[in-house]
Amino acid sequence: MESTAQTDTTITLAWNAVAGTGQYRIMVSPNSDMSGAAYWRFTPTTGTVKYLKADTTYYFKIRSLNTDGSNLTAYSTTYTTQTGPAAPPIPAAPTGLKTSVQTPTALGLTWTAMPNAIQYRVAIGTHADGSSASYYRYAVTTADIRGLTPGKIYYARVRIITADGSNISAYSPLVLVSTSPLPPRPAIASPLSVASYNLHCANCEDAMPTEVPWVDRRDDVIATISSKMPDIIGIQEASQGWLSTDSRPGGYSQFEDVRDRLNAAGAAYALTNDKRNNCENPQTPTGCVPVDQGASQGTRIFYNTEKTSIVRSGSKLLPSLDPEKNPRYMAWAEVIQLSTGKHFFFGDTHLEVDKDMGYNDLRRQQAETIVDVIKAQNTANLPVLMVGDMNSSKWLTPSNAPYDVFTGAGLIDPLGNTYGSSLPSGFATAEKVTNSNINSWNGFERHARASAPGTNGTYIDYIFTSKMRVPSWETVANIDASGDYVGQIPSDHDMIYATVGLP
């Protein structure tokens, strides 16, 4: 006789067949003298003895019986084995499930912590019987459920699970929860349009797919900006260096080329600062005698003079780890929206591009410097629009440092990007989004980098706002039904564009 399996209450045995046997009788006792024995009968040469105590030694003997139940053989010698340890008690289902946050597209849920619970599984769906639910895992007693329908009733429940996802407890009773309805949104009489666009500098030829020189793509850049004609736009990488393709006396910079071509196309754009260099002679860096002229290299603010006017402007050189690297700036301005007479503070920047740990900390320092500039220059507490290429996304390890700094200072990302999630936060303020699933950096690749429809793509370019309405938000990209860019791709970044209502 031998044991082939044990649980905390059963032992399965197997033995050799005896010719002529009708049945086998098993004697089982927790005592070596077989006192208090129980008896089991089995026809095959295997059987499971049940109703045993956990973690207990048992003694077994077996004999063969005739078909009429009489003894055929004597009992065997004693076989000894042990049941398994007691199974842990099934914990009670979590209690106290309730709504902690309610927005039109998201719900925050919370529940009471259960002793020794490693993970929880939340099930939420629109059916009262709990069927067709979506499932989420959490190591904490709070849940952030996104991508929901405004003004919709949902049914939620929670259970305890193991680290590998195996169920431990039963589900809690279903709790009825609901998202809030979309509030009524009257049209904004005088929206302000704002954009951010990294143009890819004229001397940056990096052999990316479909990349061509500035002279062969600048008309496409102009067409992209002209398609939206933003009231104000933060530009990055519109370099102050002279264009090699232009031979006019005194040289001609990329940002001057953009301004003049926009205006030749019927626009009325001006620069908040048109100085090329922070030198006594700002036209050229040759023999530079340093003087702060408010220049900010390729980080420039263009404003539509028919829609806005400038009160004052300036720039700030940002921290750097390497003085030999390209300096990074913040350009800023106090601006008036002409249609309403409202003043606002506008900032534009292009943070450090390197992605290793030290440069993540540098981008944090650069963002902190920008926040300090906003505090120092915006003493009237005007509405704020802060745009630019932050060179950091929600997937960057160890963190999206500049995003954390700006949102920690009270600025809002209208798309509701949060770290490690493609689904927008329930606190996203953009009321209508277009192409938000398309990444802001395209790498001159023909097929657009994008996530699933209804989600947020990967953004390193941002438009942050203080508290204000954002009726629309768009990644400006000419994409066909196959998800490919049409025609010449203007830049390795897509322009991002929004309309806002200044408070």
Side-chain angles (χ1 to χ4, degrees), residues 180-198:
S180 56
L182 286 172
R185 294 291 192 183
I188 294 174
S190 297
L192 177 80
S193 58
V194 55
S196 180
Y197 201 6
N198 183 317

Side-chain angles (χ1 to χ4, degrees), residues 33-56:
D33 61 2
M34 303 306 290
S35 59
Y39 298 88
W40 292 75
R41 291 190 183 190
F42 302 99
T43 300
T45 57
T46 184
T48 299
V49 177
K50 303 177 182 179
Y51 314 120
L52 306 177
K53 293 181 179 181
D55 204 19
T56 301

Side-chain angles (χ1 to χ4, degrees), residues 138-307:
Y138 300 95
V140 293
T141 57
T142 57
D144 178 15
I145 312 295
R146 303 181 179 187
L148 303 178
T149 302
K152 187 82 171 180
I153 292 174
Y154 291 88
Y155 299 88
R157 53 185 179 170
V158 61
R159 77 189 320 168
I160 301 171
I161 61 173
T162 63
D164 65 3
S166 300
N167 298 329
I168 295 180
S169 78
Y171 272 117
S172 64
L174 282 165
V175 173
L176 187 149
V177 295
S178 64
T179 51
S180 56
L182 286 172
R185 294 291 192 183
I188 294 174
S190 297
L192 177 80
S193 58
V194 55
S196 180
Y197 201 6
N198 183 317
L199 304 186
H200 192 60
C201 60
N203 60 353
C204 298
E205 296 184 13
D206 300 320
M208 289 183 279
T210 80
E211 179 185 5
V212 296
W214 171 246
V215 68
D216 295 322
R217 59 184 178 85
R218 61 187 174 186
D219 288 345
D220 300 282
V221 166
I222 300 305
T224 299
I225 298 173
S226 298
S227 70
K228 296 298 178 182
M229 207 68 78
D231 299 339
I232 190 163
I233 177 171
I235 295 291
Q236 305 89 42
E237 290 194 29
S239 62
Q240 83 282 13
W242 297 350
L243 297 175
S244 61
T245 56
D246 195 285
S247 59
R248 73 187 69 190
Y252 197 51
S253 72
Q254 188 177 7
F255 65 77
E256 291 166 340
D257 194 20
V258 172
R259 176 198 58 199
D260 293 350
R261 287 178 180 276
L262 279 170
N263 294 341
Y269 282 105
L271 287 150
T272 58
N273 184 295
D274 61 3
K275 299 293 192 297
R276 293 176 183 167
N277 302 282
N278 287 312
C279 301
E280 189 173 85
N281 175 10
Q283 292 298 101
T284 175
T286 303
C288 179
V289 177
V291 173
D292 184 5
Q293 301 278 11
S296 49
Q297 291 216 346
T299 299
R300 300 283 169 162
I301 300 172
F302 286 53
Y303 66 100
N304 186 334
T305 60
E306 295 177 345
K307 300 294 184 69

Side-chain angles (χ1 to χ4, degrees), residues 355-369:
K355 298 298 190 289
D356 65 29
M357 184 77 72
Y359 287 102
N360 187 66
D361 290 338
L362 176 59
R363 280 186 291 274
R364 184 187 304 279
Q365 295 172 36
Q366 291 174 336
E368 290 169 346
T369 300

